Amino acid sequence: MDTAVERAIECIREHYGEPLALARIAESALLSRFYLTRLFKEETGLTPGRFLAAVRIHEAKRLIGETSMSITEVSYAVGYNSPGSFTNYFTASVGVSPSRFRRLARDGGDGLPATEPVPPVPQQGQGAVGGTVALPGGHGNARVFLGAFATPVVQHPCAASALFDVPSGRPSCYSLENVPEGNWYLLAVAVADSLGPDRTAHRTPLVGGRGVMPVTVTADGVTSAAVRLRPSRPTDPPVLLALPELVPPVTFVPPPGCPSTGPLQGADDQRRAAGHLRLVSSAPVP
């Protein structure tokens, strides 16, 4: 890693399980605490302390999903002195408790709880965000989660969200409706197939959206925002929200028009009632 912010993030990722003060992080970056904090926030949208907290919860998700460690053991391993505090913070960030996340991870993400909306403000209006999603070159079809968040971290709660497919080679339309008016970070997480005979050989995680500058949503208005996906960088905050397994579709045959986020009917209603995200179609832009 070359930049001061990247050196600070390397320190965080290597020592997240230890008591890690800002002074030690700044020392690793060869900067003062004040200057590092300013640079760090400009590049990531977060303070070093908030980035550290996100890394700890992300590593906890990995340990809970991939090991047999107890929740208490996980909490100590990621730098928490109190299992109770860890459980509360994990639940608030991920959207489910550690024990439920373990069950979901073993089921492949089936049964993902619905993203709860941000608590409404009295007389607060709602608008929409719409635009296109584009994949980087050299990737196959992708399944994308897109949401509006209060912070530059994909974490609970989410103001509005959609789960949809994007074909290789062409931008696609998206639409987020019923977004409360205000400023929101538009963040996307995706997994793309590789090109070639074995499309699953090298699936690539992708991220995108407005991670530093939020979009402004006005009541009864539509905010236009293009989303360009790319491979993740070391400076990207970890994804904390419990998401379904993003398995790209084998084939993609889009219907005419852009995605609809209107009322659900029939089986879709039952899936939402059961706490699932709704999969909407996304048609390529002509």
Side-chain angles (χ1 to χ4, degrees):
M1 294 190 177
D2 298 325
T3 71
V5 172
E6 288 177 332
R7 290 195 299 269
I9 290 175
E10 182 178 37
C11 176
I12 289 172
R13 294 190 184 278
E14 288 182 355
H15 302 287
Y16 64 85
E18 308 167 15
L20 193 56
L22 177 58
R24 183 177 175 187
I25 299 173
E27 182 180 355
S28 72
L30 305 177
L31 294 176
S32 70
R33 290 176 294 175
F34 174 79
Y35 192 42
L36 172 66
T37 299
R38 183 166 69 82
L39 286 181
F40 203 100
K41 193 163 186 178
E42 287 176 356
E43 188 158 345
T44 70
L46 302 173
T47 64
R50 182 64 189 87
F51 198 98
L52 169 62
V55 168
R56 283 174 168 165
I57 295 301
H58 185 261
E59 290 300 318
K61 286 175 60 181
R62 181 184 63 81
L63 292 174
I64 290 171
E66 298 177 5
T67 76
S68 60
M69 295 172 64
S70 70
I71 303 303
T72 297
E73 290 172 331
V74 170
S75 68
Y76 290 132
V78 298
Y80 280 81
N81 295 323
S82 166
S85 297
F86 164 74
T87 296
N88 291 338
Y89 196 79
F90 185 100
T91 304
S93 301
V94 179
V96 294
S97 67
S99 58
R100 187 176 181 193
F101 181 80
R102 173 161 278 169
R103 293 195 296 271
L104 291 173
R106 290 172 177 172
D107 293 338
D110 188 31
L112 173 74
T115 52
E116 296 180 9
V118 174
V121 175
Q123 299 182 343
Q124 183 180 32
Q126 293 183 327
V129 182
T132 60
V133 176
L135 302 179
H139 293 81
N141 296 342
R143 180 151 291 175
V144 182
F145 171 87
L146 179 69
F149 297 88
T151 72
V153 182
V154 178
Q155 66 176 14
H156 181 79
C158 181
S161 65
L163 186 67
F164 54 92
D165 296 327
V166 176
S168 172
R170 298 184 65 184
S172 295
C173 298
Y174 78 86
S175 176
L176 286 182
E177 297 187 0
N178 302 320
V179 184
E181 60 181 335
N183 295 321
W184 302 101
Y185 293 92
L186 189 65
L187 305 174
V189 182
V191 172
D193 275 339
S194 59
L195 297 175
D198 186 358
R199 64 183 183 85
T200 65
H202 300 287
R203 280 183 169 156
T204 305
L206 303 172
V207 298
R210 306 296 182 88
V212 177
M213 296 297 295
V215 298
T216 299
V217 176
T218 58
D220 301 320
V222 178
T223 300
S224 177
V227 176
R228 295 184 179 276
L229 295 169
R230 57 170 174 77
S232 61
R233 301 168 181 160
T235 53
D236 292 322
V239 174
L240 304 186
L241 184 67
L243 295 176
E245 187 176 4
L246 300 175
V247 179
V250 176
T251 58
F252 186 89
V253 183
C258 284
S260 171
T261 55
L264 299 178
Q265 297 180 356
D268 281 344
D269 276 328
Q270 297 174 4
R271 285 183 61 80
R272 172 166 286 183
H276 288 73
L277 289 171
R278 180 163 62 99
L279 183 65
V280 298
S281 299
S282 182
V285 177

